[in-house]
Amino acid sequence: MTEARGSAGSSGEAEARHAPGTPCWVSLMVHGLDATQEFYGELFGWEFQPGPQQLGPYVRALLDGKEVAGIGQLPPDRHLPIAWTPYFASDDVHGTTETVRLCGGTVGVGPLDAAEAGRLAICSDPSGAVFGIWQAAAHLGIALTGVPGTPAWNELITFESASVVKFYETVFGFEQEAVASADFDYVTLHIAGRTVAAVLGMGQALPRDRGPHWMTFFEVADTDEATARVYELGGHVLKQPHDSALGRMSTVTDPEGARFSLLQSRA
């Protein structure tokens, strides 16, 4: 699991540029931007500064002065699912979106320029799970990992892994490794030998109110304390803290309903 967050060095600073296919950013679109900043600021210690405004008001979350995530405001008339969206690095967002279409995915936004920061697109895979593509210019993406308050892991929660993994292999060049289990449909995704994400097939146990989706895990120092804090700040606890192969984790929502996981990684 150390490799899954392997872009961090001993100082926790991320590499200068994320290799194509690796998760490089995570972003959230909400209706109440101020209230959402207050929630995550209290939970993770984030501070905020303005970011590109191409899709409306947008801020970047900072931890120790380094960028770790983005939060934007939805127009009042847009009633889209409130969800954290991982972005995968690309050297050519236009070419990557063409591959998305050819492989049965959908391009919902872009490609478009985000001022001098870079170019982006927002897509969905054939099962409907939403993800982003980021072609970096001035903004390289997540600049700090491996410490509390930073994105730690991304996992696709879907019906079954086989067909959708083929999609991501073709679009981003992932290699896959399945967990050998008769009753556990779990595949890890790799770039240049490094684990970068995973796919969990849940079959009919997938929540019908949510459908296939990417889940972002955020590192915390103490999962039990952070989970209690989510509740105190007006969020909800969907799955209580428990031990897993990744470490001690829980699944929660913010006050607007965006789901994410808290992860106290194994040493």
Side-chain angles (χ1 to χ4, degrees), residues 186-242:
Y186 192 80
V187 174
T188 53
L189 303 176
H190 307 257
I191 292 287
R194 183 165 63 90
T195 311
V196 297
V199 179
L200 172 63
M202 295 186 64
Q204 295 306 307
L206 184 74
R208 294 184 179 276
D209 64 330
R210 189 64 183 85
H213 62 281
W214 280 94
M215 175 75 77
T216 296
F217 293 65
F218 291 95
E219 188 75 39
V220 293
D222 186 309
T223 298
D224 295 75
E225 289 184 5
T227 303
R229 187 68 175 138
V230 165
Y231 183 76
E232 293 170 2
L233 293 170
H236 298 278
V237 179
L238 301 180
K239 194 167 185 178
Q240 292 289 342
H242 59 282

Side-chain angles (χ1 to χ4, degrees), residues 100 115 153 160 187 192 233:
V100 166
W153 183 239
E160 56 86 25
V187 174
L233 293 170

Side-chain angles (χ1 to χ4, degrees), residues 51-54 60 112-120 134-135 137-139:
Q53 309 291 306
Q54 273 69 18
R60 290 177 181 156
L112 56 82
D113 290 320
E116 74 286 350
R119 285 176 58 78
L120 68 88
W134 181 252
Q135 181 180 339
H139 174 61

Side-chain angles (χ1 to χ4, degrees), residues 11 32 48 86 95 115:
S11 65
F48 299 92

